[in-house]
Amino acid sequence: MIDKGYKPDLIMCTKLIKGFFSSRKIEKATRVMEIIERYGKPDVFAYNALISGFCKANQIENAKKILDRMKSKGFSPDVVTYNIMIGTFCSRGKLDLALKVFEELLKDNCKPTVITYTILIEATIVQGGIDDAMKLLDEMLSRGLEPDTFTYNAIVRGMCKERVVDRAFDLVKSLNSRGCKPDVITYNILLRALLNQGKWNEGEKLMSEMISRGCTPNVVTHSILIGTLCRDGKSEEAVNLLKSMKEKGLRPDAYCYDPLIAAFCREGKLDLAIEFLDYMISDGCLPDIVNYNTIMAGLCRTGNADHALEVFKKLDEVGCPPNVSSYNTMFSALWSSGDRYRALGMILEMLNQGIDPDEITYNSLISCLCRDGMVDEAIGLLIDMEKGRFRPNVVSYNIILLGLCKLLRVSDAIELLAVMIEKGCRPNETTYILLIEGIGFSGLRSEAMELANSIHTMNAISEDSFKRLNKTFPLLDVYKDLNYSNAKE
C-alpha cells in the first residue's frame, strides 16, 4: 500500500500493533510503528499501544526505549502512557521503579488521575503497608482528586489483609460522607474478613445491612459463604446454600463448586467429589484446572495414584490443560508410591510442554530426595534453585535440615543454618526445633537443651515447644550427662 502511494491509516495501524502483540508477533508490531514513523504521522495512541505491548510481553527495557523515542520525536507522553508503565512495575513488585516513573510524570507536568493513584495504592499496600497507602490517599485528596469505589475497595482489602478489620469498617462507614457508596465488592471483602475470623454472627448482621442498602448478594458472596462452611466442616449446609443460590436465579461458578469438591476429598468422600464434578458440568459450569487438581490430589492422598493419572491424561481432552500444580501433584504421588521413573518423567514432560517449575516443584523434588536419604542430591538442587529465578525459602532449607538431621549429619546441618542466614533467609521456629532435635538425637542431649534454652530466651521458640523439647530430652538426663563429663575431666 505504501509503495502504491497510500499513507498508512493511523487507526488501522494501531489496531495492527495491538493484534500483532496479541498473537506474539512482536517484530511485526515494531515494523508497523517504523512504517508509521517513516511514511505517516504517529500519535500518542499508537505509541501507547506499542509501550503496552512490550510491557505485557515483559520487555520493560524496550518499553522504556519507546518512551524515550516518543519524547525525542516531540511527543509528550500522556497519563495513559505513564499509567501503563506504573502498572507494569507495580504488577511485578517493583514499587520503587513505579514511583520513579510517577516522579517523571509530575516533572513532565502531566496530571495523575484516580487510576494512577489507585494502582500505586494497591502496590503500596502489598509492599509498604496500609499506613503508607493512606499517605498516598491523603496526597491524592490534596490534589483535588476524588477517590472512587475501586480506590476505597483496595484500601479496605488491604486493611482486612493486615487484620485491622475494625479500621476497615470505620472507613466504610465514612464513605457516604466522602461522596462514595460501598458496593457489593466492598461488602464481600468485609464478609470474607469476618468469616475468616469465625465471626458468623457479625457476618449475618453485615449481610442484613448489605441487603437493606440495596446491595444484592452475588455469586462471589455465595462462594465466600460456601467456602467458609466447607472450611468449618459444614459441607451439608454448603450444599443447601448452593441449591438455594440456584433457586434465586444465580449461576454458581467454579469458585462455588471447588470448596465443596475439596471438602469431600478431605473427608475421603471421593465418589461424592467426582459426582459433584459431573453435576457441575451438567449444570453448564465447566470445571477449571483447580477443580481437577483438587480431585487428583484427593485421589493421590488415598493411594489412588493410578486413577489420578487417568484423570491427568484426560485434562487436554476436557479443555483444561495441566498446569504446574497438576504436575507437582502427580510427581509427589508417583514418587511416594515408589514409581520414581514415572515421577521424574512428569517433570521432564512439564518442561517439554514449556511449563516452568515453581517453588513447590523444587521443594517437592527436594523433599522426595531427602525422604529417600539422597540429601547431597537435594543440596545440589538447592544450589541450582539459587542460580535460577526462585530463591530457596525457609521451607526448602527446613526440608534439607530435617534430611541431614535424620542422617545424624549435625555439623552439616549447623553449616546449612549458617548458609541460610547468610543468604538472607530468616529461620523460623521449625528450623530451630529441627536443629535442636537433630543435635539431641545424635547423642548430644546436653548441648541440644543448652541451645534450646538460649533460643527460648531469645523468644525464637514458644513456651509449648520448649516444654515439649524438655520432655524429649529430660533435664535430669542432661544433668547426668554434664556430671559424667565433669567427672571425666
Side-chain angles (χ1 to χ4, degrees), residues 35-331:
I35 291 170
I36 300 172
E37 287 176 332
R38 187 171 177 184
Y39 299 103
K41 290 183 179 179
D43 62 5
V44 176
F45 297 104
Y47 280 114
N48 285 350
L50 198 65
I51 290 167
S52 177
F54 277 125
C55 286
K56 285 175 183 174
N58 202 25
Q59 295 187 16
I60 313 298
E61 284 304 315
N62 283 335
K64 285 163 75 177
K65 284 176 185 175
I66 296 299
L67 182 63
D68 294 338
R69 191 164 100 200
M70 178 182 177
K71 288 180 178 179
S72 70
K73 290 185 179 290
F75 290 94
S76 297
D78 62 9
V79 71
V80 176
T81 320
Y82 285 112
N83 283 351
I84 291 166
M85 296 295 292
I86 290 167
T88 300
F89 285 127
C90 286
S91 66
R92 284 159 178 76
K94 298 176 179 177
L95 180 60
D96 53 338
L97 295 178
L99 289 170
K100 283 182 182 177
V101 174
F102 181 68
E103 286 171 14
E104 198 176 328
L105 175 153
L106 297 174
K107 281 179 187 174
D108 285 350
N109 294 318
C110 186
K111 291 183 179 180
T113 62
V114 172
I115 294 170
T116 317
Y117 274 102
T118 303
I119 294 167
L120 286 169
I121 284 169
E122 284 183 322
T124 302
I125 287 167
V126 174
Q127 295 178 58
I130 198 68
D131 291 330
D132 288 344
M134 292 304 283
K135 287 175 187 174
L136 274 174
L137 180 68
D138 291 338
E139 184 185 315
M140 180 181 178
L141 290 165
S142 70
R143 289 184 183 276
L145 291 169
E146 292 295 330
D148 58 16
T149 314
F150 291 102
T151 315
Y152 284 118
N153 282 348
I155 293 170
V156 171
R157 192 178 291 110
M159 287 176 173
C160 289
K161 279 184 180 175
E162 289 194 12
R163 297 182 181 181
V164 283
V165 181
D166 290 341
R167 195 173 167 188
F169 270 93
D170 289 340
L171 178 63
V172 172
K173 283 174 188 173
S174 72
L175 287 187
N176 283 330
S177 64
R178 291 171 181 259
C180 191
K181 283 185 179 180
D183 60 6
V184 67
I185 297 170
T186 319
Y187 284 109
N188 284 344
I189 295 165
L190 293 173
L191 181 65
R192 193 189 298 276
L194 288 173
L195 297 185
N196 281 343
Q197 293 177 353
K199 295 179 178 179
W200 275 100
N201 291 335
E202 288 88 339
E204 286 173 10
K205 286 177 187 174
L206 181 71
M207 285 195 67
S208 298
E209 180 192 322
M210 173 183 176
I211 294 163
S212 68
R213 293 202 174 191
C215 270
T216 308
N218 61 7
V219 174
V220 176
T221 318
H222 285 81
S223 73
I224 292 166
L225 292 166
I226 289 168
T228 310
L229 286 167
C230 290
R231 184 199 67 196
D232 293 352
K234 299 174 181 177
S235 50
E236 194 173 327
E237 288 181 40
V239 171
N240 291 334
L241 184 59
L242 186 76
K243 289 175 183 174
S244 165
M245 177 184 176
K246 291 178 71 177
E247 286 166 7
K248 292 174 186 173
L250 291 170
R251 191 176 177 182
D253 60 9
Y255 293 103
C256 295
Y257 282 102
D258 191 56
L260 279 164
I261 292 168
F264 293 139
C265 286
R266 277 197 308 272
E267 293 165 11
K269 300 173 182 175
L270 286 169
D271 292 342
L272 197 54
I274 293 166
E275 186 184 317
F276 253 79
L277 192 71
D278 293 336
Y279 177 59
M280 178 181 175
I281 295 166
S282 65
D283 202 31
C285 178
L286 291 176
D288 59 17
I289 192 61
V290 176
N291 301 125
Y292 285 110
N293 286 348
T294 303
I295 293 281
M296 289 189 297
L299 289 166
C300 291
R301 273 197 302 272
T302 53
N304 294 306
D306 288 335
H307 190 175
L309 202 55
E310 286 174 24
V311 175
F312 180 86
K313 287 175 180 175
K314 290 179 182 175
L315 287 177
D316 280 312
E317 291 175 26
V318 296
C320 268
N323 61 8
V324 65
S325 296
S326 318
Y327 282 103
N328 289 344
T329 300
M330 292 313 306
F331 164 77

Side-chain angles (χ1 to χ4, degrees), residues 436-449:
I436 291 162
E437 288 180 339
I439 293 168
F441 286 124
S442 71
L444 303 169
R445 290 179 297 172
S446 58
E447 288 86 348
M449 285 315 297

